[in-house]
């Protein structure tokens, strides 16, 4: 192992697809964003420390506060957790890597470039400056003409793409690649937490993607979904928070799972009530989707709705009760070792309790009428997100540092880090509960409010807390070079990753373990621990294997494509519109096509273990499961678009009569065209299965041709409606909703047609006819879905 | 039943359903609006189900997969229905 | 000192929540500290007998009974919180709108007062970055003030809140009441001020660069002072 060839650093880190290296990339990058966002915070905390301060202009203040929130939530909390998930999770479930390693690397690069875009927004006019919640209509082009928000939107779209790819990847991995005998109930709590988090991500993020996309279209094309008098502001409120509430659980659960595994290790006893903890997480995850109205208690949704949300929100605290009590009971008759990891884990539980209790306050409508938009809310969620999540993730950092590096950190420095962090944290945030009269997001305040002393105290705490993190970085950075060797299992822990050397070899397990009915496991030939000299079945035995340039190239292509869409300066003051920057758009598109081509042509084989646990998807192949998972997210995405249409339509006093704007005949024609194309698509599969080359070519050509026909009719409609003036995009909600919804659908049709070309090209080379028809089948799944969406769009837009 | 024949049959039903929808639109005024919309959406759902079951092969896939798909549908309808309730009850 | 009915609702409910929160917090933290100290690792300590080891997935530990107890106790406590919360909401948003009485004493509204009917609603509207307050006059015109909201003490004010441009939030800080000010939409709140004086109105939703100074003054006046001011706005017959 020590004389293997390691590729040059740059090539290795830029092209790796190994889950451990991708994990390290996520961890390091997220810590970088943590420092950046933290510095923003220290700056505005300084601004707030005394009344009538002018350290930061109100304009910059608003930007700092907004970007701080966006960075922390999207670019720090989840990526930090998924750094661990990438590295550790496959080891804990006995998998070789993730199901789709290149997709995994691509997720990371999308994440990195999206963060670059977010930071770039500072330098193009003004960064987003309306809070991470981006309420309408202040986010419309009319009120926020600066392109910084467009670039911010691009950054958000890119990171949602990254997250969606990760979701599909982890889901397939966890359901289809567990080691033999590793039933779901055998998994430690951390993988369970990740699995539950992925479910939430899958169903929440498409809503956010739809929201950001609609916001971008509103700004760029002058539509006004969110700025319309007909309920636009509340539409954003609903769509955003439908995503927003599960999102805050998404950034919390991995840390909770981590804490649930760290505490037993340092208590030297099994976790108390582990199945109740997991059950509670599942319950909380499900309930998290029906509580979002508590962010809208004062929007005037009516007493009945608010009472409903009070009940669901208070109910969701029950599972968390169970989790906390179970974690604490683990300590009974235990042998509690207070190392850095357990200090942070237990500290996180304590702070989480405070955060959780104060959350219950906010669930009460009457209390919320006083507390909404005040620092009480700020304190509540920082107790959860920093006190619970960040502290939990830092526990993970200390816990797994020896496994990543093979070295021990300096324990006493780490304990001091904990003490300072814990004390500094409480000095920073507890006073904010007492500032329950002070509005959030105000750049300064007058002395007569009396808010000065508490703000000053809070800022002091901020500097203590922020300063303490220097100890973390120094400790880990220096220990990585000079720490004493840790050995494979310094904590005498029992989850699978500790059975490997520290750090693990590139291929992880020599042989994947087999877990017996009674929970014991062995590797290969019955030995308890892997024999380092035996190389068993697996891949990526060295760092050289599994390198691919396409993930980073593809991500870069998307980055410059979206930058081109959003970087153009406003062309006219009113109404504001933006010029796209075509050179970047073209370059991005071309590079994207090239990398897509390279990606699909690359000979990258993923070794699939023959014996795996795959309940409940035993008979479902990996890629098919991945595609259906992706389609599930698409259902939410289109559901939001259609729901938005319902919403604005119900809120509009008048709407054009059936047949007055669109001829039913056009809609009928388009429906027939698409239905026929579904028939040709399924006939393509039939032809492939029976090996008929001509049949396959004809069907694919038919599908393509029908797609062209569909887009042709649609284009004609668009041109006619647009040029008639009465119905221009900027003029009315009927136009807006129609263009956006059918436009998004049209993009999907176009993508499908590109796929047909690719399949045709391969068919000419003789593929798909000898039992390898799966690509045709997968294409069909996507294409039929696009057809199903149109089956709903047709009556919704043409007939009612 | 020969699969090609089955697919053609499904296609015929889909086209027929679309025809019904369009004809319904022309007599729209004689039906209460709420019912009209419900029938249209019901027809759409039926067509979608046919496409999913037969073209996407869900009828023949393992139960786990179709359950998985159902979960996605439930989540989507959660958003729509709760927002809908919010719109129509209260205030 | 009670300054408004809404503030009393908040204070009472906040006190209940905080009392319970302190009790729960003390119990949980005391338990944690006790367990950590009692079972802390000492030089003489040995691993408990059920310490999991590498080579075997740990077996489950724990009684469902304890979980049931936790859930039951929590449910009772949370049910209390839900019901007290509902009671409070019903005060803030009663099924039938309370009768506004700010205009009692204005000669033109004498019939309204005699019949015990409601005065018209007042309106607050958010702008970037100030608040306007509108009072209907009996002759059908509207008087508008900027940045200053005058009301008579001990009267019921029913207020419609909306916005002229972006999403704001109208909050009377000392009265512990607020509602979103959304363009195209009207949200209604009501309150009864008990004590004359000046109170702070502020915007509680980030609405732009001027958000931090989007304040106004709620001037609760004695009834005679209010009536003479209202008369002075002209044409009150």
């Amino acid at each position: 192992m020590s004389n293997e060839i390691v590729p040059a650093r740059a090539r290795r880190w830029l092209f790796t697809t190994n889950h451990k290296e991708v994990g390290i990339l996520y961890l390091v990058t997220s810590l970088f964003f943590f420092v950046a966002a933290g510095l923003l915070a220290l700056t505005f905390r300084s601004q707030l420390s005394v009344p009538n301060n002018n350290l930061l202009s109100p304009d910059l203040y608003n930007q700092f506060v907004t970007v701080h929130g966006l960075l922390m939530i999207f670019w720090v909390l989840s990526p930090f957790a998924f750094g661990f998930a990438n590295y550790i999770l496959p080891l804990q479930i006995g998998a070789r890597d993730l199901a789709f390693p290149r997709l995994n690397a691509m997720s990371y690069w999308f994440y990195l470039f999206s963060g670059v875009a977010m930071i770039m927004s500072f330098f193009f006019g003004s960064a987003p400056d309306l809070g991470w919640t981006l309420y309408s209509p202040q986010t419309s082009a009319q009120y926020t003409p600066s392109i910084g928000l467009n670039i911010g939107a691009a950054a958000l779209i890119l990171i949602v793409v990254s997250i969606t790819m990760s979701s599909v990847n982890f889901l397939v991995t966890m359901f289809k690649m567990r080691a033999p005998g590793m039933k779901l109930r055998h998994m430690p709590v951390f993988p369970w937490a990740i699995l539950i988090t992925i479910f939430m991500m899958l169903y929440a993020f498409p809503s956010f993607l739809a929201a950001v996309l609609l916001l971008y279209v509103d700004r760029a094309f002058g539509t006004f979904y969110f700025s319309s008098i007909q309920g636009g502001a509340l539409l954003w409120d609903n769509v955003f928070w439908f995503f927003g509430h599960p999102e805050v659980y998404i950034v919390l659960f991995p840390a909770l799972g981590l804490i649930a595994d760290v505490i037993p290790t340092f208590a030297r006893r099994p976790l108390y009530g582990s199945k109740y903890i997991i059950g509670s997480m599942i319950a909380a995850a499900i309930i998290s989707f029906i509580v979002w109205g508590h962010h809208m208690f004062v929007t005037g949704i009516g007493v009945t709705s608010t009472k409903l949300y009070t009940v669901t929100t208070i109910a969701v605290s029950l599972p968390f009760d169970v989790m906390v009590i179970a974690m604490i009971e683990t300590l009974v008759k235990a042998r509690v070792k207070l190392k850095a990891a357990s200090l942070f884990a237990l500290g996180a539980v304590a702070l989480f309790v405070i955060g959780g209790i104060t959350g219950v306050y906010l669930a009460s409508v009457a209390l919320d009428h006083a507390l909404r938009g005040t620092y009480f809310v700020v304190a509540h969620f920082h107790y959860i997100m920093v006190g619970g999540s960040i502290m939990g993730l830092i526990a993970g950092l200390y816990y797994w540092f020896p496994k990543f590096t093979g070295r021990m950190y300096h324990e006493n420095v780490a304990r001091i880090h904990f003490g300072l962090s814990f004390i500094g944290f409480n000095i920073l945030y507890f006073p904010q509960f007492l500032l329950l009269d002070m509005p959030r997001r105000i750049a300064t305040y007058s002395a007569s409010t009396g808010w000065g002393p508490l703000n000053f105290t809070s800022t002091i705490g901020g500097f203590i807390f922020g300063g303490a993190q220097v100890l973390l970085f120094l400790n880990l950075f220096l220990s990585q070079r000079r720490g004493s060797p840790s050995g494979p299992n310094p904590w005498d822990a029992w989850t699978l990753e500790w059975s490997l050397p520290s750090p693990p070899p590139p291929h992880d397990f020599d042989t994947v373990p087999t877990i017996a009915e009674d929970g014991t496991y062995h590797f290969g030939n019955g030995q308890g621990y892997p024999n380092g000299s035996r190389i068993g079945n697996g891949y990526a035995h060295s760092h050289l294997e599994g390198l691919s340039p396409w993930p980073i190239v593809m991500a870069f292509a998307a980055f410059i494509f979206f930058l081109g869409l959003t970087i153009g300066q406003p062309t006219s003051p009113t109404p504001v519109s933006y010029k796209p920057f075509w050179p970047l758009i073209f370059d991005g598109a071309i590079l994207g096509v090239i990398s897509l081509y390279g990606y699909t042509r690359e000979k990258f084989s993923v070794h699939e273990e023959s014996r795996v646990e795959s309940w409940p998807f035993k008979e479902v192949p990996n890629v098919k499961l991945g595609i259906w998972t992706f389609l599930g997210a698409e259902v939410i995405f289109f559901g939001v678009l259609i729901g938005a249409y319902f919403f604005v339509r119900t809120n509009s006093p008048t709407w054009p009569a059936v047949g007055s704007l669109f001829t039913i005949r056009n809609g009928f024609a388009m429906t027939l065209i698409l239905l026929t194309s579904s028939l040709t698509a399924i006939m393509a599969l039939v032809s492939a299965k029976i090996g008929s080359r001509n049949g396959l070519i004809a069907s694919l050509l038919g599908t393509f041709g029908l797609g062209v026909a569909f887009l042709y009719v649609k284009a004609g409609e668009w041109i006619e409606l647009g040029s008639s003036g009465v119905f221009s995009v900027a003029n009315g909600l009927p136009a807006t909703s129609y263009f956006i919804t059918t436009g998004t659908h049209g993009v999907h049709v176009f993508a499908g047609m590109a796929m047909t070309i690719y399949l045709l090209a391969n068919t000419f080379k003789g593929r798909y006819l000898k039992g390898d028809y799966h690509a045709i089948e997968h294409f069909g799944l996507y294409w039929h879905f696009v057809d199903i969406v149109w089956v709903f769009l047709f009556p919704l837009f043409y007939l009612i | 039943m020969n699969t090609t024949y089955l697919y053609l049959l499904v296609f015929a039903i889909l086209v027929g359903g679309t025809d019904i929808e369009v004809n319904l639109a022309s007599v729209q005024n004689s039906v209460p609006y709420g019912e009209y919309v419900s029938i249209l959406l019901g027809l759409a759902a039926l067509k979608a189900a046919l496409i999913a079951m037969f073209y996407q092969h869900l009828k023949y896939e393992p139960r786990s997969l179709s359950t998985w798909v159902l979960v996605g549908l439930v989540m989507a309808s959660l958003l729509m229905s709760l927002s809908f309730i919010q719109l129509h009850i209260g205030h | 000192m009670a300054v408004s009915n809404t503030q009393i609702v908040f204070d009472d409910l906040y006190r209940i929540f905080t009392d319970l929160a302190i009790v729960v917090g003390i119990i949980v933290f005391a338990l944690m500290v006790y367990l950590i100290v009692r079972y802390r690792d000492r030089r003489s300590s040995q691993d408990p007998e059920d310490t999991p080891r590498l080579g075997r997935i740990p077996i489950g530990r724990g009684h469902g009974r304890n979980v049931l107890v936790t859930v039951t106790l929590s449910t009772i406590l949370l049910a209390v919180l839900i019901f007290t919360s509902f009671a409070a909401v019903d005060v803030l948003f009663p099924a039938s709108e309370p009768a506004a009485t700010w205009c009692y004493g204005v000669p033109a509204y004498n019939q309204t007062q005699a019949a015990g009917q409601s005065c018209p609603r007042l309106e607050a509207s958010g702008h970037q970055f100030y608040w306007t307050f509108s009072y209907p006059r009996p002759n059908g015109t509207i008087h508008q003030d900027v940045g200053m909201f005058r009301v008579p003490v001990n009267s019921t004010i029913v207020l419609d809140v909306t916005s002229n441009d972006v999403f704001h939030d109208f909050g009377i800080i000392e009265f512990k009441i607020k509602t979103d000010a959304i363009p195209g939409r009207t949200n209604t709140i009501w309150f009864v001020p008990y004590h004359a004086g000046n109170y702070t109105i502020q915007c509680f939703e980030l609405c732009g660069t001027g958000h931090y100074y989007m304040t106004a003054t709620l001037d609760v006046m004695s009834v005679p002072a209010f009536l003479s001011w209202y008369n002075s706005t002209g044409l009150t017959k």
Side-chain angles (χ1 to χ4, degrees):
Chain A
M1 216 80 61
S2 52
N3 44 9
E4 62 163 293
I5 309 162
V6 180
R9 272 209 138 74
R11 192 165 153 243
R12 169 181 163 190
W13 288 104
L14 292 178
F15 298 159
T16 182
T17 63
N18 184 295
H19 70 99
K20 299 189 293 299
E21 296 180 343
V22 173
I24 297 289
L25 285 172
Y26 267 110
L27 284 174
V28 171
T29 312
S30 68
L31 286 174
F32 168 77
F33 283 119
F34 178 62
V35 171
L39 288 175
L40 290 176
L42 283 180
T43 315
F44 64 72
R45 272 294 352 138
S46 303
Q47 161 67 13
L48 288 171
S49 55
V50 292
N52 296 316
N53 205 356
N54 55 5
L55 176 69
L56 269 183
S57 70
D59 189 30
L60 269 183
Y61 177 89
N62 288 353
Q63 292 177 50
F64 275 33
V65 138
T66 305
V67 177
H68 163 81
L70 287 169
L71 283 182
M72 286 296 192
I73 291 174
F74 293 105
W75 279 274
V76 178
L77 283 169
S78 277
F80 196 165
F82 274 83
F84 290 131
N86 260 291
Y87 199 116
I88 296 292
L89 196 144
L91 304 179
Q92 288 189 334
I93 65 176
R96 283 273 169 216
D97 200 308
L98 292 198
F100 310 114
R102 285 180 304 168
L103 194 68
N104 194 29
M106 196 155 67
S107 294
Y108 168 74
W109 292 110
F110 265 80
Y111 155 64
L112 175 70
F113 288 122
S114 68
V116 170
M118 181 54 79
I119 302 211
M120 276 175 74
S121 68
F122 268 116
F123 303 103
F124 286 86
S126 109
D129 61 356
L130 290 160
W132 85 280
T133 45
L134 297 172
Y135 271 20
S136 291
Q138 39 266 59
T139 48
S140 68
Q142 177 193 357
Y143 292 106
T144 309
S146 158
I147 62 171
L149 182 51
N150 294 350
I151 300 178
L156 288 171
I157 292 175
L158 286 171
I159 203 173
V160 173
V161 173
S162 163
I163 288 169
T164 308
M165 294 193 283
S166 271
S167 306
V168 172
N169 216 343
F170 271 92
L171 218 125
V172 176
T173 306
M174 296 189 70
F175 278 124
K176 299 297 304 287
M177 291 176 68
R178 282 168 281 131
M182 173 67 78
K183 305 215 179 296
L184 284 174
R185 64 170 183 275
H186 288 319
M187 296 197 308
V189 183
F190 180 66
W192 267 109
I194 295 289
L195 184 61
I196 294 166
T197 302
I198 298 285
F199 270 102
M200 291 193 285
M201 282 176 156
L202 211 51
Y203 297 123
F205 270 102
S207 178
F208 185 57
L209 181 65
V212 176
L213 217 59
L214 291 177
L215 177 65
Y216 173 75
V217 173
D218 263 9
R219 291 172 57 82
F221 298 110
T223 58
F224 47 98
Y225 256 117
F226 294 126
S227 45
S228 78
I229 291 292
Q230 288 84 3
L234 275 196
L235 178 60
W236 171 269
D237 223 330
N238 269 304
V239 174
F240 177 82
W241 285 115
F242 175 80
F243 149 77
H245 193 85
E247 165 65 357
V248 302
Y249 286 29
I250 286 168
V251 300
L252 169 68
F253 276 33
L256 283 183
L258 213 160
I259 291 169
D261 282 341
V262 165
I263 290 181
T265 306
F266 292 92
R268 310 308 298 152
R269 287 200 70 186
L271 181 64
Y272 188 97
S274 54
K275 60 182 184 213
Y276 298 108
I277 291 184
I278 291 168
S280 298
M281 274 196 192
I282 294 174
I286 295 175
I287 302 177
S288 78
F289 279 92
I290 55 174
V291 301
W292 84 85
H294 66 234
H295 299 274
M296 300 173 61
F297 275 155
V298 301
T299 56
I301 55 178
V303 173
T304 314
S305 286
T306 58
K307 284 184 173 174
L308 170 73
Y309 284 116
T310 292
V311 172
T312 55
T313 306
I314 290 198
V316 85
S317 68
L318 270 173
F320 289 114
D321 279 352
V322 171
M323 284 188 235
V324 168
I325 294 294
M327 289 183 197
I328 295 179
E329 274 212 69
T330 305
L331 303 173
V332 173
K333 300 211 179 79
R335 180 187 171 192
V336 181
K337 300 187 165 189
L338 294 176
K339 305 268 183 187
S342 52
L343 282 170
F344 271 99
L346 292 168
V349 172
L351 297 175
F352 176 74
V353 168
I354 297 178
I357 289 177
T358 50
V360 177
Y361 280 69
L362 295 167
S364 169
V365 180
L367 291 181
D368 194 63
H369 270 78
L371 300 173
R372 179 257 201 258
T374 66
Y375 268 83
F376 190 94
V377 178
V378 178
H380 155 72
F381 66 69
H382 281 95
Y383 263 86
I384 304 271
M385 290 213 212
V386 184
S389 208
I390 291 278
M391 301 282 216
L393 292 169
I394 293 180
L397 210 46
Y398 282 122
Y399 185 53
W400 281 313
F401 178 81
K403 178 56 58 186
F404 296 156
T405 59
R407 298 185 179 280
M408 277 303 281
Y409 57 87
H410 194 294
E411 188 63 57
N412 281 335
V413 171
R415 287 186 174 130
I416 296 175
H417 170 226
F418 169 73
L420 284 177
S421 295
F422 194 80
I423 293 171
F425 174 90
N426 283 297
I427 299 178
L428 167 56
Y429 290 114
F430 201 84
Q432 294 182 6
F433 282 125
L434 306 173
L435 283 168
L436 52 81
D437 282 338
M438 179 177 171
R440 291 171 67 175
R441 300 162 169 168
I442 50 174
T444 191
Y445 52 92
S446 65
S448 58
T449 58
W451 296 329
L454 285 171
N455 269 292
F456 190 78
T457 313
S458 172
T459 304
I460 301 280
F463 276 92
I464 297 175
F465 180 76
Q469 308 316 309
V470 174
L471 288 177
L472 170 71
F473 294 120
L474 277 179
N475 193 350
L476 296 186
F477 181 72
L478 293 175
S479 301
Q480 190 212 21
R481 289 152 190 268
R482 313 202 227 126
S484 48
S486 65
N489 194 358
W491 314 122
D492 209 359
W494 50 85
T495 42
L496 275 174
E497 73 271 26
W498 302 107
S499 65
L500 288 170
S502 301
H507 60 283
D508 302 337
F509 301 99
D510 285 348
T511 53
V512 162
T514 308
I515 293 95
E517 265 306 312
D518 64 355
T520 55
Y521 53 85
H522 62 274
F523 297 84
N525 54 2
Q527 283 182 285
Y529 302 117
N531 184 332
S533 60
R534 226 172 70 92
I535 307 296
N537 55 338
Y539 69 109
H541 289 173
S542 75
H543 290 288
L544 279 174
E545 295 174 39
L547 293 179
S548 168
W550 302 116
I552 185 174
V553 176
M554 186 98 95
F556 185 68
F559 170 68
I560 60 179
F561 177 81
F562 275 96
L563 222 52
L565 280 178
T566 54
I567 218 171
Q569 288 297 334
T571 50
S572 58
T574 37
V576 181
S577 69
Y578 302 93
K579 219 163 49 123
F581 188 63
W582 290 109
L584 280 183
I585 296 180
F586 278 135
D587 291 346
I590 292 172
L591 194 58
V593 169
I594 292 175
S595 41
L596 200 54
Y597 181 74
Y599 194 107
T600 45
R601 301 289 295 150
E602 191 178 36
K603 284 189 179 20
F604 190 95
S605 59
V606 177
H607 171 92
E608 287 191 25
E609 292 281 330
S610 50
R611 293 171 53 235
V612 285
E613 280 302 317
S614 48
W615 185 90
F617 295 114
K618 214 176 187 53
E619 298 105 27
V620 183
N622 285 10
V623 177
K624 190 191 279 199
L625 182 61
I627 293 188
W628 273 114
T629 306
F630 169 68
L631 291 182
E634 286 263 54
V635 169
I636 304 275
F637 177 75
F638 275 106
V640 172
L641 291 183
I642 294 177
Y645 165 67
F646 269 130
F647 195 97
V648 297
R649 184 162 172 171
T650 321
N651 271 322
S652 301
T654 59
W655 201 264
V658 171
S660 63
L661 279 178
F662 318 101
T663 59
I664 299 182
R665 209 182 37 175
N666 274 342
F668 188 40
M670 286 193 277
T671 309
L672 288 183
I673 290 172
L674 225 51
L675 286 175
T676 314
S677 73
S678 261
L679 181 64
T680 53
I682 195 69
M683 293 315 293
L685 182 59
V686 169
S687 307
K689 280 186 176 172
I690 64 177
S692 159
R693 187 166 183 270
N694 289 338
L696 181 54
I697 292 177
S699 311
L700 286 176
L701 271 176
T703 311
F704 180 81
L706 288 163
V708 170
F710 178 87
L711 288 179
Y712 178 75
V713 177
K714 171 149 295 313
E717 239 186 0
W718 278 35
I719 293 172
E720 188 195 317
L721 292 167
S723 65
S724 72
V726 174
F727 197 61
S728 68
V729 155
N731 248 353
L733 273 175
T736 294
S737 51
Y738 171 72
F739 281 122
I740 291 179
T741 320
T742 59
T744 322
H745 176 262
V747 168
H748 281 76
V749 170
F750 186 76
M753 284 163 56
M755 292 179 210
T756 5
I757 300 290
Y758 171 77
L759 294 174
L760 264 171
N762 275 349
T763 311
F764 281 119
K765 298 193 197 141
R767 286 192 59 184
Y768 310 133
L769 299 164
K770 306 191 190 76
D772 54 341
Y773 55 81
H774 300 286
I776 308 284
E777 186 185 11
H778 297 151
F779 162 72
L781 290 178
Y782 170 80
W783 188 255
H784 298 307
F785 170 76
V786 173
D787 194 13
I788 287 178
V789 173
W790 182 260
V791 159
F792 282 99
L793 293 188
F794 169 55
L796 287 177
F797 282 96
Y798 290 83
L799 301 179
I800 66 173
Chain B
M1 181 188 290
N2 176 298
T3 41
T4 309
Y5 181 66
L6 175 64
Y7 296 147
L8 286 169
L9 181 62
V10 168
F11 179 69
I13 300 177
L14 290 172
V15 173
T18 313
D19 197 44
I20 295 177
E21 287 174 347
V22 172
N23 286 333
L24 200 60
S26 59
V27 301
Q28 175 192 14
N29 296 319
S30 52
V31 184
Y33 194 63
E35 282 177 32
Y36 173 67
V37 174
S38 312
I39 296 176
L40 280 180
L41 288 182
L43 277 172
L46 233 67
K47 287 156 74 179
L50 280 175
I51 297 176
M53 283 201 295
F54 294 102
Y55 286 172
Q56 290 179 311
H57 214 240
L58 266 186
K59 183 168 184 287
Y60 308 99
E61 295 283 8
R63 182 74 71 79
S64 57
L65 194 57
S66 34
T67 315
W68 186 217
V69 174
L70 210 62
V71 172
L73 290 176
V74 166
M75 298 309 293
S77 40
L78 252 181
L79 166 64
M80 320 245 291
S81 47
L82 274 177
S83 309
F84 191 75
I85 293 175
Q86 232 175 72
L87 262 177
H88 286 265
I89 302 182
H91 205 221
Chain C
M1 181 186 70
V3 294
S4 77
N5 65 332
T6 51
Q7 172 243 326
I8 294 176
V9 169
F10 173 80
D11 279 355
D12 286 348
L13 194 58
Y14 190 78
R15 195 172 317 117
I16 296 174
F17 271 66
T18 306
D19 288 345
L20 287 170
I22 292 179
V23 168
V24 169
I26 289 181
I27 293 177
V28 173
F29 294 140
L31 185 59
M32 274 189 85
V33 172
Y34 168 72
L35 290 175
I36 292 174
V37 170
R38 167 97 165 76
Y39 295 109
R40 71 186 183 283
D41 180 33
R42 280 163 271 227
R43 233 176 293 271
S44 55
S45 303
Q46 285 195 307
D47 271 352
E49 59 178 29
D50 61 357
T51 305
R53 300 285 172 200
L54 205 49
R56 190 193 182 138
I57 313 270
I59 352 167
R61 164 192 167 198
H63 296 290
R65 187 200 61 209
N66 281 14
V67 172
L68 195 58
V69 168
T70 307
V71 171
T72 310
L73 287 177
S74 301
T75 308
I76 295 174
L77 189 139
L78 295 173
V80 167
L81 294 178
I82 290 181
F83 285 117
T84 48
S85 294
F86 279 11
V89 177
D90 287 336
V91 171
L92 292 183
F93 296 96
S96 52
E97 194 172 288
T101 60
W102 63 271
C103 65
Y104 289 7
V106 175
Y109 285 109
N110 278 343
Q111 269 193 310
T112 313
Q113 181 173 10
Q117 283 172 336
S118 180
C119 300
R121 296 188 194 164
L122 302 177
E123 185 187 88
S125 182
H127 308 243
Q128 286 180 320
F129 301 99
Y130 57 93
W131 296 99
T132 58
F133 302 97
S134 305
Y135 304 74
R137 296 197 191 93
N139 64 359
T141 57
I142 300 200
H143 169 78
Q144 197 179 76
D145 275 342
V146 179
M148 179 72 80
F149 186 25
R150 295 181 176 86
V151 296
V153 73
N154 288 321
S155 68
T156 303
I157 290 95
V158 179
L159 184 67
D160 276 347
V161 178
T162 186
S163 164
N164 202 48
D165 41 35
V166 299
F167 197 125
H168 299 279
D169 182 283
F170 176 86
I172 308 174
I173 294 184
E174 296 89 335
F175 287 18
K176 306 293 187 198
I177 185 84
K178 57 169 68 84
T179 189
D180 282 341
I182 304 174
R185 199 179 162 84
T186 304
N187 289 334
T188 312
I189 54 173
W190 72 283
F191 57 91
V192 182
Y194 291 152
H195 204 88
N198 283 352
Y199 303 93
T200 319
I201 291 166
Q202 190 148 7
C203 176
F204 280 79
E205 178 58 51
L206 180 52
C207 50
T209 42
H211 169 64
Y212 72 101
Y213 62 77
M214 189 167 161
T215 53
T217 305
L218 173 68
D219 183 5
V220 178
M221 313 166 89
S222 68
V223 176
F226 176 78
L227 289 174
S228 89
W229 166 77
Y230 188 76
N231 283 343
S232 76
T233 67
L235 298 172
T236 57
K237 277 194 263 299

